[in-house]
Amino acid sequence: MKKLSILPQLAVSASLVFAGFTVQADEVKGNAAAGNPKVWLCVGCHSIPDYRADYPFVYKVPMLGGQNAAYIASALAAYKKGERKHPTMRAIAGSLSDQDMADLGEYYAAQTASSPINPLK
């Protein structure tokens, strides 16, 4: 009986998996204009200077204007996956698609710390 090596099959399978990740990552490109109508989820906390949330603990809420787009998208993804634990952020991120996260990241990257507090005007 002829023995078949499983290594070539594993190599092909692994390359297809990694190719899929690359294609998926390339498909999601954020758009700042598309992020504008989505920031209503964020402005209630992240547009108030020196705002502190008190549930479940006292937490200084960061201003997001000028933040790196990829950082914002990855932070939202981490909340959605449960890797970051703040319950409010976890609930909000859970409602967002990868496209929403990328759009919000681009929107805030295009802002500055002194951008208007209400971006929907």
Side-chain angles (χ1 to χ4, degrees), residues 7-95:
L7 267 98
Q9 294 171 347
L10 287 175
V12 170
S13 296
S15 66
L16 290 173
V17 167
F18 289 120
F21 286 134
T22 303
V23 169
Q24 182 179 6
D26 289 342
E27 288 176 6
V28 180
K29 296 206 183 303
N31 179 303
N36 185 40
K38 299 173 185 178
V39 296
W40 66 270
L41 292 165
C42 313
V43 295
C45 297
H46 290 284
S47 65
I48 303 169
D50 299 318
Y51 180 65
R52 295 183 188 277
D54 61 1
Y55 179 81
F57 49 87
V58 177
Y59 178 80
K60 186 175 186 277
V61 178
M63 299 293 284
L64 298 178
Q67 183 60 265
N68 179 282
Y71 174 78
I72 290 176
S74 68
L76 288 168
Y79 281 116
K80 186 173 185 171
K81 292 177 191 170
E83 295 168 357
R84 288 189 174 199
K85 303 296 182 192
H86 194 277
T88 304
M89 284 301 304
R90 200 161 171 208
I92 290 170
S95 72

